[in-house]
Amino acid sequence: MLLQLIVSGLLLGGIYALLSLGLSLIFGVSKFTNFAHGDFVMVGMYMAFVSYGMFTLTPYFSWPLVMLGGVGFALLLYLVARSTIEKSGLNQILVTLGLSMVLQNTVLLFFKSDYKSIPATFGSSIKLGTVFISTEMLIAFVIAVVITGGFFFFIKYTDTGRALRAVSDDRAASKLMGLPVNLLDPIAFCLGIVLACLAGALLMTVYPTTPTIGSGYNLIAWVTVVLGGLGYLQGALFSALLIGICETVSGFYLGADLRQAVYYVLFILVLVFRPQGLFAGLGMKKVKR
Amino acid sequence: MRSFLSHKKSDYFICAAVMLLLSLGLLSSNKYTLDILITTVYFCTIASAWNIMCGYTGQLSLGHGAFLGLAQYTSTLLYTKMDISPWLGMLAGGLTAMLLALLVGVLALRLKGPFFALATIALTTILEIFAVKFDGITGGSVGITIPYNPSLGNMIFKDYQPTYFLFLCLLALVLLTTIYISRSRLGSNLVAIRENDLTAASLGINVFRNQLYALMISSFFTGVVGTLYAQYVLFIDPAGSFSVIVSEKAALISIIGGAGTVFGPLIGGILLAPTEIFLRTWLGSTYQGAYLIVYGVVLIFVILTIPNGIAGTVSAYIRKCNCKTEQASGDD
């Protein structure tokens, strides 16, 4: 049973990795505290839902639309929040909090508060030894892994990726070296938000959605980023997997309603006693200064 | 120094004037009007209590719902299960909220900025989950309905005027405390911490202890007003008591009005709470979240244009004018 739980936790964590990578990137590059990150996951879910409703495209085919929409929302966020970058973090929190309220309740206006879902495409599950794996979940995980791999390739080997890493390393020095920081900020925003929206589209294949679901994902994204150590992209990846496993295991042994409490408690404990993150000092490269 | 003190004297004067103005509502017997007034004063009081901690120290708490809910559950359970009068329950609720604040403070006050905010949100969510989970004691997600037995001892009244009067008294108490703190050593320490905590610490101010005091005072009042509200609506449930929305509202009413000023939360509450009720009734149940869109847009607008809030901007303007007139009189 434990093996089963760990496997499904890993699959879930793979999707969480997308949102925590996005949040970590925006926090690292622009030093921007985004409290609306989860709401972009919610927006991604609804975009997937709408494309299914209008064109009967499952998320496996509607992802270009979701990406396009994600870029639009990222630019909206950038436009609203542009003047708070490099300023007080409190104002960034408050602006994104306001944006989160606007997003949640605009979606509520159009779609009402009932749960929306997309019918399963495959529905069956695969049996591997003693472990059952839902086909939907497995495909979502594989896609998430491909996206994550592409993201890391982009960050590591392209010029833009290098520039992004440089800016998150030292913003002032990058400016002095002539990097177009004003251009890199929206790029980081776009990448981060698109990742969140894609995570939403993938989650839509397995879970239903409702307008307020974003608050939970927001906290999950922050929990993984803090657990992984601020600005460590690899750390965010590992802690996302860890949170996924933690969620399924505690959900099974303590009951579904307590599973969130477990990682929130873990979150507070890590914040208080190990604010540098769980994996700090294990030879991981920092993306943040 | 004298101008500092006389400035505070005018604060007491404004406070008295506002309370007199608000107490005109006691003359009304229209339940709808009184309900609007009570809700307004309720939000003014929560925001003012939030302001004592977060406005003056600059620590953003988005989890005052934790204190509110814990106090509501304490007083309501004492009343419904053990028949202890809400008057005592109110005090007990305030004190348990204060104890929680002590715990939160010891654990989380060393965190700054987004991390303190996140920890407080997480705490509120944890308490909500517990309130749902331990349904043997708390009644679970169904909530607890307080039986309607109007009497002074039960703090349940047939008319709305006594309740409104109680809310007004509490608001006055919170405002007086805020004025007192803002002119006390604690207040100036808090402002010093907000402006630059490292400098404050190097001047010998115990950053942690001062913030802890402020948080405890703030949570006490939050708890007390929460229990009062529970006795007014006669119903509590986990989603309503430990609500992140209420915590966010406390924060943004205060910030829009002007955090770190005595009357900012009052201005914010008087502007926003009736707007909310109006939008809710006007747009009805078809557009249930519309008022929160307004909140969000106003919040973004205020932060981007006047980050000090209404009261902060106005008082800065007045100070500027005063400086000019003083200079002019000095020239004579």
Side-chain angles (χ1 to χ4, degrees):
Chain A
M1 197 60 217
L2 194 62
L3 189 66
Q4 167 81 58
L5 291 172
I6 289 176
V7 169
S8 22
L10 269 179
L11 297 183
L12 189 62
I15 305 176
Y16 286 170
L18 293 183
L19 49 142
S20 60
L21 283 178
L23 186 63
S24 195
L25 182 77
I26 295 177
F27 190 84
V29 172
S30 309
K31 309 284 173 289
F32 183 75
T33 316
N34 183 7
F35 265 41
H37 203 71
D39 296 296
F40 291 106
V41 178
M42 180 272 293
V43 166
M45 290 175 103
Y46 273 94
M47 283 194 283
F49 175 75
V50 169
S51 2
Y52 183 80
M54 287 172 72
F55 317 111
T56 46
L57 283 174
T58 53
Y60 308 117
F61 297 102
S62 65
W63 56 267
L65 291 177
V66 173
M67 276 180 87
L68 212 65
V71 171
F73 278 100
L75 292 178
L76 172 79
L77 172 67
Y78 180 71
L79 226 78
V80 170
R82 188 177 44 184
S83 60
T84 61
I85 295 175
E86 292 186 9
K87 300 250 174 63
S88 133
L90 283 187
N91 287 356
Q92 298 170 356
I93 298 177
L94 293 168
V95 165
T96 47
L97 208 62
L99 193 66
S100 143
M101 287 174 139
V102 172
L103 283 178
Q104 279 185 16
N105 293 290
T106 314
V107 171
L108 182 68
L109 274 188
F110 286 106
F111 296 95
K112 305 287 173 260
S113 60
D114 45 339
Y115 281 85
K116 300 272 195 280
S117 61
I118 293 178
T121 322
F122 303 100
S124 58
S125 50
I126 303 167
K127 193 175 179 222
L128 272 179
T130 56
V131 179
F132 284 95
I133 301 171
S134 129
T135 320
E136 248 87 26
M137 208 64 195
L138 185 66
I139 294 176
F141 178 75
V142 170
I143 297 175
V145 168
V146 170
I147 297 173
T148 310
F151 173 75
F152 272 106
F153 179 83
F154 176 80
I155 283 290
K156 261 211 135 85
Y157 297 110
T158 62
D159 281 349
T160 320
R162 248 178 239 120
L164 287 174
R165 277 187 294 148
V167 175
S168 60
D169 225 22
D170 194 327
R171 207 176 159 87
S174 317
K175 268 187 191 164
L176 292 175
M177 295 298 121
L179 281 179
V181 174
N182 290 338
L183 201 65
L184 289 168
D185 278 338
I187 291 177
F189 273 57
C190 284
L191 270 175
I193 301 301
V194 164
L195 283 178
C197 288
L198 285 177
L202 289 179
L203 283 166
M204 199 63 208
T205 59
V206 255
Y207 290 130
T209 182
T210 182
T212 48
I213 207 165
S215 311
Y217 286 124
N218 190 42
L219 221 48
I220 290 180
W222 276 100
V223 169
T224 51
V225 168
V226 168
L227 250 54
L230 283 172
Y232 291 86
L233 287 178
Q234 291 99 321
L237 187 62
F238 286 126
S239 59
L241 298 177
L242 193 72
I243 285 296
I245 295 172
C246 177
E247 190 173 325
T248 47
V249 171
S250 59
F252 180 73
Y253 288 106
L254 298 171
D257 35 0
L258 274 185
R259 66 169 199 271
Q260 288 176 313
V262 170
Y263 58 71
Y264 291 157
V265 170
L266 187 69
F267 171 62
I268 292 181
L269 292 180
V270 168
L271 264 184
V272 170
F273 295 109
R274 215 180 144 74
Q276 69 272 45
L278 286 177
F279 314 110
L282 296 180
M284 248 178 296
K285 273 260 175 72
K286 252 190 173 182
V287 176
K288 199 198 142 214
R289 160 165 59 105
Chain B
M1 191 65 200
R2 191 176 295 148
S3 75
F4 180 73
L5 287 180
S6 71
H7 176 60
K8 295 304 161 187
K9 229 177 250 167
S10 75
D11 275 359
Y12 285 116
F13 180 72
I14 299 175
C15 177
V18 170
M19 294 322 296
L20 266 178
L21 208 63
L22 282 174
S23 58
L24 285 180
L26 288 170
L27 300 174
S28 160
S29 57
N30 183 339
K31 284 212 165 181
Y32 184 62
T33 319
L34 278 170
D35 181 61
I36 294 177
L37 285 171
I38 288 174
T39 316
T40 307
V41 172
Y42 170 59
F43 276 110
C44 287
T45 318
I46 292 191
S48 300
W50 183 90
N51 183 40
I52 292 179
M53 161 66 191
C54 304
Y56 282 95
T57 63
Q59 285 273 37
L60 182 71
S61 154
L62 294 175
H64 264 51
F67 307 126
L68 189 90
L70 189 69
Q72 285 187 335
Y73 268 93
T74 309
S75 80
T76 306
L77 288 176
L78 282 178
Y79 176 57
T80 53
K81 301 244 153 139
M82 296 173 174
D83 218 18
I84 293 174
S85 162
W87 293 97
L88 282 175
M90 189 162 89
L91 210 61
L95 289 177
T96 41
M98 222 161 149
L99 275 180
L100 180 67
L102 184 67
L103 182 74
V104 173
V106 169
L107 283 176
L109 265 180
R110 67 179 100 172
L111 305 172
K112 277 182 208 150
F115 305 110
F116 183 75
L118 284 165
T120 52
I121 297 180
L123 177 80
T124 316
T125 320
I126 291 170
L127 285 181
E128 183 189 341
I129 292 170
F130 282 167
V132 173
K133 180 72 184 169
F134 298 114
D135 49 358
I137 313 166
T138 63
S141 52
V142 185
I144 306 171
T145 309
I146 303 170
Y148 178 70
N149 287 324
S151 86
L152 185 63
N154 291 344
M155 209 200 271
I156 301 169
F157 305 99
K158 269 207 186 89
D159 300 315
Y160 282 2
Q161 282 100 331
T163 315
Y164 183 49
F165 180 70
L166 286 179
F167 270 104
L168 279 182
C169 291
L170 197 58
L171 177 62
L173 192 64
V174 176
L175 283 180
L176 290 178
T177 314
T178 314
I179 297 174
Y180 177 76
I181 287 177
S182 70
R183 70 192 289 197
S184 71
R185 174 168 281 266
L186 176 62
S188 33
N189 285 352
L190 292 178
V191 172
I193 293 168
R194 179 184 66 194
E195 296 307 325
N196 191 330
D197 53 345
L198 286 181
T199 316
S202 68
L203 287 172
I205 296 173
N206 189 331
V207 173
F208 173 71
R209 193 181 296 164
N210 278 292
Q211 289 192 348
L212 187 63
Y213 289 159
L215 181 62
M216 285 169 74
I217 296 169
S218 164
S219 63
F220 177 78
F221 285 124
T222 311
V224 170
V225 75
T227 62
L228 204 56
Y229 194 68
Q231 287 303 116
Y232 169 58
V233 293
L234 297 178
F235 173 71
I236 57 170
D237 67 332
S241 293
F242 299 105
S243 131
V244 178
I245 292 283
V246 170
S247 324
E248 285 175 359
K249 265 190 216 162
L252 59 89
I253 284 175
S254 186
I255 287 160
I256 290 170
T261 61
V262 176
F263 296 107
L266 198 67
I267 296 172
I270 289 175
L271 286 179
L272 285 175
T275 315
E276 176 189 331
I277 299 168
F278 170 70
L279 283 174
R280 273 181 155 176
T281 42
W282 181 47
L283 298 171
S285 52
T286 34
Y287 306 109
Q288 35 178 322
Y291 76 96
L292 282 171
I293 301 182
V294 176
Y295 265 95
V297 171
V298 171
L299 178 65
I300 294 175
F301 178 77
V302 165
I303 294 295
L304 293 183
T305 52
I306 42 168
N308 290 329
I310 299 169
T313 312
V314 170
S315 73
Y317 181 74
I318 292 174
R319 215 172 298 139
K320 213 164 130 195
C321 293
N322 278 351
C323 280
K324 269 184 197 156
T325 48
E326 264 170 37
Q327 268 175 2
S329 59
D331 288 342
D332 288 340

